[in-house]
Amino acid sequence: MAEFWESSFQDKSTMWGFDPADSALATAQFFKQEGLSTILIPGFGYGRNAKVFADTGCFVTGIEISETAIALAQDHFGNGLNIYHGSVTAMPFDQELYDGIFCYALIHLLNEKERLKLIEDCYNQLKPGGYMVFVAISKNDAAYGAGEKLSKDSFKTRHGVELFFYNADAVKAEFGAYGLIESIEINEPSKPTGNKPSQKFWQITCRK
């Protein structure tokens, strides 16, 4: 996976633009309302979803597998960023406990063992009373079923990316033991832009 993302960021640079995802905007406001100040973002990318948390006064720490993405983040947002270079499968990178964790469109790229480890690792790095929010692709997304079937609800795309598609039962099975308080299906973005349709995701919120 490291080679895929390094190549992707080298070829496509800031491929998603700099506007944060709608779910990142909503989560940043939620974290602000709850008075959270230290945020961990596994799968930091080049920081497009991080700035909205920093703009609310949060101190943000990232984890990112691509050195190119980290360099892009530093170019656009400054060298003061605290980003660990490595795979989320190697968590934890520090012994800090965070008020909040936001993990966008990452967990569905992992296999079952890696997904469960990521959820547990994130939960273990939450302060008591802290929140973690995951955004994961839904089985109701149009991409479901495309590509080579690997296992139940898991497919390899034509780009070689493995995707696991969540339904309500899978959300409960994987997050239920980790303070699951809400799981809702969302459109991302909330309104389609141009000719590109929205994707279907689950927004999953847990509290420690």
Side-chain angles (χ1 to χ4, degrees), residues 15-156:
M15 63 189 99
W16 298 295
F18 287 99
D19 291 334
D22 289 342
S23 55
L25 287 165
T27 301
Q29 287 303 309
F30 170 65
F31 283 1
K32 182 180 180 181
Q33 291 169 8
E34 294 297 320
L36 310 189
S37 60
T38 57
I39 310 299
L40 177 65
I41 301 182
F44 188 87
Y46 54 82
R48 77 176 182 113
N49 285 327
K51 187 176 183 298
V52 68
F53 292 93
D55 286 346
T56 64
C58 292
F59 180 80
V60 180
T61 296
I63 300 170
E64 176 51 46
I65 199 168
S66 167
E67 288 183 315
T68 297
I70 293 173
L72 288 168
Q74 292 170 337
D75 285 344
H76 288 278
F77 301 116
N79 291 320
L81 298 172
N82 185 34
I83 310 172
Y84 294 105
H85 174 234
S87 170
V88 296
T89 60
M91 286 178 69
F93 286 86
D94 59 33
Q95 300 305 311
E96 297 295 323
L97 296 181
Y98 294 89
D99 295 324
I101 295 173
F102 181 67
C103 187
Y104 179 83
L106 167 66
I107 193 167
H108 53 248
L109 300 171
L110 307 177
N111 63 38
E112 182 178 10
K113 182 179 179 181
E114 292 168 339
R115 294 196 306 272
L116 295 176
K117 181 181 184 298
L118 175 60
I119 296 167
E120 182 175 14
D121 288 342
C122 286
Y123 189 79
N124 287 342
Q125 286 203 260
L126 274 183
K127 292 179 182 178
Y131 291 88
M132 60 183 189
V133 175
F134 286 75
V135 179
I137 199 162
S138 169
K139 191 172 176 177
N140 290 322
D141 186 72
Y144 179 81
E148 175 191 352
K149 185 171 184 178
L150 302 173
S151 59
K152 185 177 184 293
D153 297 331
S154 183
F155 300 86
K156 180 182 284 188

Side-chain angles (χ1 to χ4, degrees), residues 184-197:
I184 57 172
E185 268 194 303
I186 62 170
N187 292 321
E188 187 70 83
S190 57
K191 295 181 180 179
T193 55
N195 296 323
K196 189 175 181 181

